[in-house]
Amino acid sequence: MKLKNVFLTLFSLLILSTLGYAQDNTVRGFVFDQETKEPIAYAKVILKSKSETPTTQGANSDLDGFFSLAQLDKGFYYISVRASGYLEIKDSILLDKEKSIQNLRFDLKKPEDVKEIEGVEISASDKSKTTEVEISMVKLDQKGLERLPSFGAENDIVSAISVTPGVVTTGDQGGQIYVRGGTPIQNKILLDGMTIYNPFHSIGFFSVFETELVKSADVYTGGFDAQYGGRISSVMDITYRDGKSSKLGGKFSISPFMAKAVMEGPLTRSKDSNSNAGSTFIFSAKKSLLDYSSRSAYPYVNNGSGLPFDFTDLYGKVTFKGDMGSKVSFFGFNNNDRVNYANVADLNWTSSGGGLNFLLIPGSSPIYIKGHLNASGYNIFFQENDSLAPRESSINGFDLGFDFTYFLKNQSEINYGINLGSFNTDFVTYNSTTLTKIQSKENNTEFAGYFNYRLITGRWVIQPGIRLQYYASLSELMPEPRIAAKFNATEDLRFKVSGGRYTQNFTSAASDRDIVNLFYGFLSAPTSIPSTFTYPNGKVVDVDNGLQVAWHAIGGFEYDFTKNLSLNVEGYYKYFPRLSNINNNKLYDDISAFYYIADESKKDFLIESGFAYGVDVLLKYTKDRLFLWGVYSYGKTRRWDGFEYYTPLFDRRHNINLVGTYAFGEKKNIELSVRWNLGTGLPFTPTVGNYQGETFSEGVTTDYTTSNVSEPSLLLGTLNSARLPTYHRFDITLKQNYELKNKNKVEIIVGVTNVYNRENIFYVNRLTNEKIYQLPILPSVGVNYKF
């Protein structure tokens, strides 16, 4: 009860703080598209004073079109607003009070003879280069996603994430990513503030996200600030746009891989044509067609049995908007995935949830408030075909959060917020020998508060922060300090650093040592763990809980060779002082009869430590019709299990991604995209021999001299001491757009995945030597109709 009172007191103080700041003159507002009434992100707002010694301040609008210029003196100001592809607006404003808040609105117009400028996400990045640290971060929007090669004639956010520096994928199937030495369970995936527990379908090219709806996708591969918590490796923060308020519209598409539909439009409108008030809706649905089409379209795959993937995704959202930008949205989703890997496993999972988020601009306070309340659940069932021991996992929970932003002079700002979350996990498996049911149920509550301060002074951008994460079920308060800084050495050269501490209360329900890891289940921090842990230097520490902990240290630089060509280089070191993992070496039940047995042989989980380090290089070129993206990543990851070091299965030493896009034709309506990926071999445990094992089927009376075991036993070598062959794949996509007389658009997409039919290993049966490869050459044709 005391903790609840502390939370309520903290919440009250934060609300009251919206009125407590010194209120100098503030000019703020929103920038909209005059025709569509949609917010314009990254518009540049310039305020220049009219005086003998004029001063200039500037701000960029955010994803909601909001901007704020704070701590202004009294006086007369000239104001200009401009954005790529729009006519500039110029106006003036008089601040005649000592303290005031001026709320403005600007509706920018597109000139009829100016085409919409490509590469918006690149210009957006340029505008924040000197005012934000942006270390280990890649910003993408819908146009950025669509310029990457598509799989099955469908663009997906997976394509963008997989070419991000520091990201490793283990292949075309399984749909999981590993970020700078972290495992999938250590990645936080957010959709409009809601945690998505499993964002990827079993066929690794498709996620549960709809590209057509993506407003922004921010990928943080490390060193993220105190706003984010609950994971120790990476964050992927995805924001969907609202439905169009101007008219009914949508998109329909079909390919051999899937069919999908998007519908959007206004529900209510203001009688004032210049008002942005009203409500909108948006709905999307997509359905896999592979189980129907692959046998005929790709008869050479899996010996004619086709591609065994089936999924369905549904999403809906309703938004109510005020005239000056405040809004509230209600949304819900449902995702289903089913797959039957021949001779490997059967798997299906479902995910569903819903909630609301809001944006509030108090009229009498300079505070900018965002909040969310949501609930979601995830269930997965998995059974390997050669086993009678299925695994099941589920997680259900809710999340409530408030985020506050207070704007300071020269684009400095303070961000702070609170979060309350609760979830329960249920994991079921069976002992492979006795078939005894093993079940673990846990309920957890978490409280968190954070504070970030971004100071822009001279050439420096300095951002200290702190997050306090309280795990109520463990009675554990974890302070998580964070720091980031950037030094603008010249107009073209910038140095940056970041670091911090990160914790999480989740553990994977599958071992990180499994070579084929299709099961993606959740457990809370385990309690069945050894009471002590021995570090490599011999130091022995007591272990109270299974919380996972990491420290990040990152440094690098950005250099702009020209306006169109830029280089980003980052080096990183991640230290994991405490990790938890499934104990594959368990031999005894954890009962009083075996009190003399070491914990490492009877506990369900092991405590480990480890480290990861590497260098990521990103070279980017954008000009008119041409876009080039080149990534090279070097990384090394090691784990210590209390006895010895081992290499985890995702330790890919070298990874290269080359992406190119070129627009042809007078109207730039033909676009060619290519991608080549090369990754050196992933580790695996080699088979060094076979022997005739004895099962002792008759117990101690078994006559081992006459028994004859039908199948040989395997003798394995050192854990993950060998490497698979190098993985590489080349994809190509050609798109052509046709604009109809009614301004509707038709897009024809032709693509080929794995153009030169590289046979990349997916699974090998050690006894029969039967091989299953990643996806072969897959040509596809798709059609999109947009209105």
Side-chain angles (χ1 to χ4, degrees), residues 324-370:
M324 285 306 300
S326 293
K327 65 178 182 177
V328 59
S329 298
F330 300 87
F331 59 91
F333 70 93
N334 182 269
N335 308 313
N336 292 274
D337 192 290
R338 294 179 178 84
V339 59
N340 184 353
Y341 291 89
N343 302 318
V344 180
D346 293 322
L347 174 146
N348 64 77
W349 62 260
T350 61
S351 180
S352 60
L356 66 90
N357 53 60
F358 66 86
L359 168 63
L360 178 62
I361 314 294
S364 59
S365 171
I367 301 294
Y368 179 82
I369 306 173
K370 286 186 175 183

Side-chain angles (χ1 to χ4, degrees), residues 436-672:
T436 303
K437 182 178 180 180
I438 302 173
Q439 186 168 14
S440 174
K441 287 187 176 182
E442 298 289 342
N443 294 287
N444 301 269
T445 302
E446 298 178 6
F447 300 91
Y450 74 90
F451 179 89
N452 276 325
Y453 176 42
R454 187 180 73 190
L455 173 65
I456 301 176
T457 175
R459 296 185 178 186
W460 284 94
V461 182
I462 304 172
Q463 186 170 308
I466 182 71
R467 184 180 184 90
L468 295 177
Q469 191 85 20
Y470 182 73
Y471 299 100
S473 58
L474 302 172
S475 299
E476 188 79 38
L477 177 65
M478 304 293 281
E480 301 179 8
R482 316 278 175 86
I483 185 68
K486 174 178 280 187
F487 178 68
N488 296 294
T490 68
E491 185 177 344
D492 300 320
L493 178 63
R494 298 166 293 278
F495 297 94
K496 51 189 179 179
V497 295
S498 73
R501 186 179 193 238
Y502 305 85
T503 66
Q504 75 174 61
N505 190 23
F506 288 115
T507 297
S508 175
S511 173
D512 295 338
R513 301 188 182 193
D514 292 345
I515 296 176
V516 179
N517 197 345
L518 306 177
F519 185 73
Y520 190 65
F522 285 80
L523 289 168
S524 58
T527 56
S528 179
I529 55 177
S531 58
T532 61
F533 177 69
T534 303
Y535 283 99
N537 61 4
K539 181 181 179 181
V540 180
V541 297
D542 294 330
V543 180
D544 298 324
N545 55 64
L547 289 176
Q548 301 196 67
V549 182
W551 288 89
H552 296 185
I554 305 167
F557 69 90
E558 307 165 354
Y559 183 69
D560 299 331
F561 294 99
T562 67
K563 181 180 179 181
N564 308 108
L565 178 63
S566 64
L567 173 68
N568 186 82
V569 179
E570 292 182 3
Y572 66 89
Y573 184 87
K574 290 183 179 181
Y575 172 56
F576 305 97
R578 189 195 307 167
L579 299 168
S580 54
N581 206 346
I582 295 285
N583 185 5
N584 287 333
N585 299 319
K586 180 178 179 178
L587 298 175
Y588 301 90
D589 291 331
D590 189 13
I591 57 178
S592 58
F594 298 126
Y595 72 92
Y596 58 91
I597 300 297
D599 283 350
E600 287 76 14
S601 297
K602 63 184 180 183
K603 296 294 185 179
D604 293 329
F605 290 85
L606 285 177
I607 294 299
E608 299 182 341
S609 65
F611 62 85
Y613 63 83
V615 176
D616 294 321
V617 180
L618 169 61
L619 187 65
K620 184 168 55 179
Y621 178 84
T622 304
K623 185 176 182 181
D624 193 22
R625 300 171 180 265
L626 180 63
F627 169 78
L628 298 174
W629 174 284
V631 172
Y632 168 74
S633 295
Y634 171 85
K636 184 174 182 178
T637 304
R638 297 280 280 170
R639 294 285 179 83
W640 170 264
D641 62 7
F643 301 95
E644 62 180 356
Y645 277 109
Y646 73 92
T647 302
L649 64 94
F650 49 88
D651 178 55
R652 172 159 279 164
R653 194 70 71 244
H654 305 278
N655 197 38
I656 297 173
N657 277 289
L658 303 178
V659 176
T661 301
Y662 188 79
F664 297 87
E666 183 179 348
K667 299 180 179 180
K668 302 180 184 178
N669 61 333
I670 302 175
E671 187 176 85
L672 176 68

Side-chain angles (χ1 to χ4, degrees), residues 76 157 224 326 377 588:
F76 187 86
I157 199 170
F224 41 93
S326 293
Y588 301 90

Side-chain angles (χ1 to χ4, degrees), residues 170-178 184-185 197-198 200-204 308-309 337-349 378-386 391-393 508-522 649 762-763 772-774:
T170 55
D172 313 331
Q173 304 180 61
Q176 298 302 332
I177 62 172
Y178 301 82
I185 205 76
Y197 293 109
N198 188 358
F200 302 117
H201 288 298
S202 297
I203 184 169
F309 304 99
D337 192 290
R338 294 179 178 84
V339 59
N340 184 353
Y341 291 89
N343 302 318
V344 180
D346 293 322
L347 174 146
N348 64 77
W349 62 260
Y378 167 74
N379 300 271
I380 185 170
F381 174 88
F382 174 76
Q383 183 169 22
E384 294 176 290
N385 289 347
D386 59 355
R391 280 182 281 178
E392 298 177 64
S393 178
S508 175
S511 173
D512 295 338
R513 301 188 182 193
D514 292 345
I515 296 176
V516 179
N517 197 345
L518 306 177
F519 185 73
Y520 190 65
F522 285 80
L649 64 94
F762 173 62
Y763 176 79
I772 296 178
Y773 293 100
Q774 307 278 3

